[in-house]
Amino acid sequence: MEIRGRDPATECYRVEIDIDNRIVRALVPERLAADMRLIGARPSHQTAYVWMAENKDKIEAAIAILARGTGRPRAPFDQITLIEER
């Protein structure tokens, strides 16, 4: 999984992974990495990157499910969305 930076408009991190020999791009909401005890708080970049590293397998599995159309990821990973290719 490659993290391609933060998209300020969606408050998500852009990620890319290879699924079935094609690059799939997705948006991972930064709120998933936030400390839920602090309502409305945004995680720092470092916190978000650490969280994504710790949850890499779950994020990749959720993106694979979405890309293959084989179901719906489990919460909270059901908040991940694919980026449409143009």
Side-chain angles (χ1 to χ4, degrees), residues 57-69:
D57 292 340
K58 293 177 183 175
I59 293 168
E60 289 180 346
I63 294 170
I65 288 169
L66 293 171
R68 292 178 179 137

Side-chain angles (χ1 to χ4, degrees), residues 2-76:
E2 296 290 327
I3 301 170
R4 298 295 184 195
R6 183 179 177 274
D7 180 10
T10 62
E11 297 184 343
C12 294
Y13 283 87
R14 293 180 300 270
V15 299
E16 294 180 348
I17 66 170
D18 186 311
I19 298 175
D20 303 329
N21 295 316
R22 67 182 173 112
I23 298 297
V24 175
R25 293 172 180 84
L27 295 173
V28 178
E30 68 180 9
R31 67 182 167 272
L32 298 179
D35 183 346
M36 294 305 163
R37 295 170 295 178
L38 304 173
I39 306 280
R42 252 187 67 217
S44 68
H45 283 297
Q46 180 169 345
T47 299
Y49 277 74
V50 167
W51 182 86
M52 286 188 281
E54 290 172 348
N55 290 278
K56 179 180 181 285
D57 292 340
K58 293 177 183 175
I59 293 168
E60 289 180 346
I63 294 170
I65 288 169
L66 293 171
R68 292 178 179 137
T70 56
R72 186 122 176 96
R74 290 184 155 202

